[in-house]
Amino acid sequence: MIKEREYKKRRELLLKKIPNSSVGVIFSAEPATRSHDTHHPYRQDSNFYYFSGFKEDNAALVFLKSKDETKTVLFVQKKDKTLELWMGERLGAREAKKRFLVDEVCVIDDFEKKFKGFIKGKKNLYFELNSKKSSVKKVSKWTKDIKIRHDIVPLVQKMRLIKSAAEIEMIKESIDITAKAHHRAMKIDKRGKYEYQLQAEIEHEFKVNAAYSDAYTSIVACANSANTLHYIKNEKPLVEGELILIDAGCEHNYYASDITRTIPVNGKFSEAQKELYNLVLNTQLRVIAMIKPFVKRSHLQESAEKLLTKGMVELGILKGNYKKLIKEKKHKKYYPHGIGHWMGIDVHDPAPYKDVKEREIPLQKGMVLTIEPGLYIDKNDKSVPKKYRGIGIRIEDDILVTKDGCENLSHHIAKTVDEVESISFQS
Ligand code: GLY
Ligand code: MN
Ligand code: MN
């Protein structure tokens, strides 16, 4: 768990980054309607959560900085027996004051009055400039007189780029649950089942292990479905002899995991499947081995493209000189996406990839990123040897950058052909 002291440290760091005569504000997420009068389960705004660890809606966190003092104020919903009967328990201002190490706790009903007081004489406003939240729009209206208006979001995103020891523990916990889910998918008899039924087995494992939610909608894609990169329908039957691409990860205590494994329906890879699989696997292992501080993500991308393209030439999928093929972007037909992304509170952690001068940010100790090369051969692609058609493979792990290298946080999830085959139900 992240300690209250750590949230306090994060708020103090933000206050250090803003000048004197500033007021900053971040709001909780708004509840999301599913349809008519039904709602999605509430999920806190990631930036608000990063600074507070508070999971209730209708809340705001205010940062005040003047020459002589800094102050943080948390606004929460007040206790209300009737509403709590329907909507669930609220912490209330008194308990919030005991729990959070903020300077002041107020009830959200007083927000307008208090906030209008806070902004008096302030030169800078930091808020979620591009947010669609209704509270942000209100604040924008009330603060027309403040000339210097900044987006608070990039400041937070930059902080989120480097994970603390406690955050890394949280990510590991999330991955450990996801490991169980992928292993369950490998172990069960998949004959006669549909993709959504395998999805149910995976998400069952998330929930029984206390991960309340997935971190993104699971992709369970058999055979040619895997060649649709964002396939989430998961509606087709699992066909004997084919592969299933499973991209699934839980969110546990607000930290994501993002894992892809590609496994055979009947527990055993065919020779052609093995050839493609090992090309993706060896590429992934080689790229992971390159990860250390000061390496750039673009270098990892280029290396993956080179290794995959060379391999595709060897297998007769592409023809010609691999360097020329890359120059002409011919490989993009089969490997069209990036090598990976930052991960943390969000599966695609919205931390920056470039600095303010548009220079790529190199890897640093404490960053967490996915490494997820893939190859996708459409079933109707006549330019490719028949045996490879209709196969889509991606292998994805979550990697922590360490002082002089990296740690694969999901190393314990079966991945080599032998590992997958020996854990799998064979039919
Ligand atoms: N699961 C989303 C991704 O791999 O980026
Ligand atoms: Mn990913
Ligand atoms: Mn993924």
Side-chain angles (χ1 to χ4, degrees):
M1 279 295 163
I2 313 273
K3 296 211 167 80
E4 289 307 325
R5 235 172 319 141
E6 182 162 338
Y7 291 114
K8 184 168 190 266
K9 243 173 67 189
R10 293 176 188 170
R11 294 189 291 267
E12 285 168 353
L13 192 59
L14 183 93
L15 278 161
K16 281 208 180 94
K17 287 169 183 266
I18 64 178
N20 290 336
S21 193
S22 291
V23 51
V25 61
I26 293 193
F27 290 99
S28 58
E30 292 179 343
T33 303
R34 180 180 169 274
S35 177
H36 180 46
D37 59 354
T38 57
H39 289 89
H40 286 290
Y42 183 73
R43 203 268 187 192
Q44 188 55 276
D45 177 273
S46 295
N47 292 329
F48 182 88
Y49 189 79
Y50 183 75
F51 283 125
S52 67
F54 189 43
K55 296 180 188 166
E56 286 185 26
D57 72 332
N58 211 1
L61 183 62
V62 174
F63 300 84
L64 298 166
K65 185 169 181 180
S66 60
K67 203 158 85 359
D68 318 309
E69 69 162 354
T70 59
K71 194 170 164 182
T72 49
V73 187
L74 179 67
F75 288 84
V76 303
Q77 302 175 107
K78 66 171 182 241
K79 297 289 285 176
D80 181 320
K81 282 226 156 59
T82 313
L83 281 174
E84 287 180 62
L85 170 68
W86 289 90
M87 306 302 289
E89 203 183 345
R90 295 171 172 186
L91 191 61
R94 188 152 23 105
E95 289 304 312
K97 183 69 188 124
K98 279 190 213 158
R99 178 174 139 193
F100 300 107
L101 304 176
V102 290
D103 299 305
E104 198 178 328
V105 172
C106 301
V107 292
I108 196 76
D109 304 327
D110 294 340
F111 184 75
E112 181 170 354
K113 192 176 77 207
K114 292 256 181 193
F115 192 76
K116 285 179 173 170
F118 293 151
I119 59 177
K120 280 209 181 98
K122 292 284 194 299
K123 289 202 181 101
N124 297 279
L125 173 70
Y126 286 80
F127 71 128
E128 297 153 280
L129 195 63
N130 300 312
S131 166
K132 291 195 174 72
K133 291 175 193 168
S134 57
S135 25
V136 172
K137 287 186 186 146
K138 272 192 219 154
V139 159
S140 190
K141 250 195 249 155
W142 302 337
T143 54
K144 287 263 178 325
D145 291 342
I146 303 185
K147 291 283 172 296
I148 313 176
R149 301 155 80 80
H150 312 257
D151 192 356
I152 199 167
V153 172
L155 297 180
V156 193
Q157 290 178 338
K158 203 168 157 210
M159 289 173 66
R160 285 173 55 186
L161 188 48
I162 307 293
K163 272 70 182 173
S164 69
E167 287 187 289
I168 291 160
E169 279 313 304
M170 305 292 278
I171 291 171
K172 281 184 178 171
E173 284 178 21
S174 176
I175 292 171
D176 287 348
I177 296 171
T178 292
K180 289 185 184 163
H182 279 273
H183 286 157
R184 183 185 179 100
M186 292 174 196
K187 281 176 192 164
I188 63 162
D189 181 354
K190 293 175 269 297
R191 284 174 298 181
K193 290 202 164 70
Y194 278 75
E195 291 165 342
Y196 56 81
Q197 289 174 312
L198 190 55
Q199 177 184 8
E201 298 281 350
I202 291 160
E203 292 171 9
H204 165 90
E205 204 68 31
F206 291 170
K207 280 229 159 66
V208 296
N209 286 290
Y212 180 68
S213 170
D214 45 40
Y216 52 92
T217 304
S218 309
I219 296 172
V220 180
C222 186
N224 202 56
S225 300
N227 295 319
T228 303
L229 294 177
H230 287 162
Y231 180 81
I232 51 171
K233 282 189 181 158
N234 305 343
E235 63 183 355
K236 300 228 168 83
L238 304 178
V239 180
E240 286 254 15
E242 302 285 358
L243 295 180
I244 320 162
L245 185 156
I246 302 172
D247 186 347
C250 70
E251 178 179 289
H252 182 51
N253 289 326
Y254 276 78
Y255 281 83
S257 45
D258 184 7
I259 302 295
T260 308
R261 290 292 183 265
T262 306
I263 62 171
V265 174
N266 62 9
K268 226 171 151 34
F269 290 85
S270 72
E271 282 310 306
Q273 288 166 350
K274 225 185 271 183
E275 285 164 6
L276 274 181
Y277 188 88
N278 281 330
L279 172 53
V280 178
L281 176 65
N282 290 333
T283 300
Q284 201 228 20
L285 295 173
R286 295 271 297 272
V287 171
I288 292 172
M290 290 172 194
I291 295 178
K292 61 181 179 187
F294 306 111
V295 168
K296 289 183 177 153
R297 239 174 93 258
S298 58
H299 176 65
L300 304 178
Q301 179 75 34
E302 284 159 19
S303 303
E305 290 179 2
K306 192 170 136 185
L307 291 163
L308 289 172
T309 308
K310 258 181 149 175
M312 283 193 281
V313 171
E314 277 159 23
L315 296 178
I317 294 167
L318 286 170
K319 286 172 195 73
N321 174 280
Y322 82 89
K323 283 186 186 154
K324 191 160 172 276
L325 289 165
I326 291 175
K327 225 173 171 180
E328 292 167 355
K329 301 194 187 329
K330 292 279 196 279
H331 62 295
K332 291 230 179 259
K333 183 174 175 193
Y334 305 114
Y335 172 46
H337 58 71
I339 188 63
H341 49 83
W342 308 136
M343 193 195 79
I345 297 179
D346 285 294
V347 60
H348 297 159
D349 231 20
Y353 290 95
K354 289 182 177 165
D355 66 16
V356 281
K357 291 186 177 152
E358 287 294 300
R359 289 172 309 201
E360 189 178 353
I361 299 173
L363 298 180
Q364 285 171 51
K365 177 176 178 258
M367 291 175 170
V368 173
L369 75 162
T370 66
I371 293 296
E372 48 179 305
L375 281 180
Y376 311 89
I377 318 282
D378 189 82
K379 70 177 188 322
N380 297 317
D381 190 339
K382 300 260 158 42
S383 70
V384 172
K386 199 160 178 228
K387 59 181 179 177
Y388 299 131
R389 291 182 208 158
I391 300 178
I393 293 166
R394 179 165 64 256
I395 305 173
E396 176 174 29
D397 283 298
D398 303 336
I399 314 294
L400 168 70
V401 184
T402 57
K403 188 166 135 278
D404 40 28
C406 70
E407 182 186 345
N408 181 349
L409 302 176
S410 43
H411 67 92
H412 52 309
I413 307 180
K415 185 162 72 167
T416 64
V417 165
D418 280 351
E419 283 166 355
V420 172
E421 287 187 346
S422 59
I423 193 176
S424 289
F425 179 91
Q426 307 224 343
S427 53

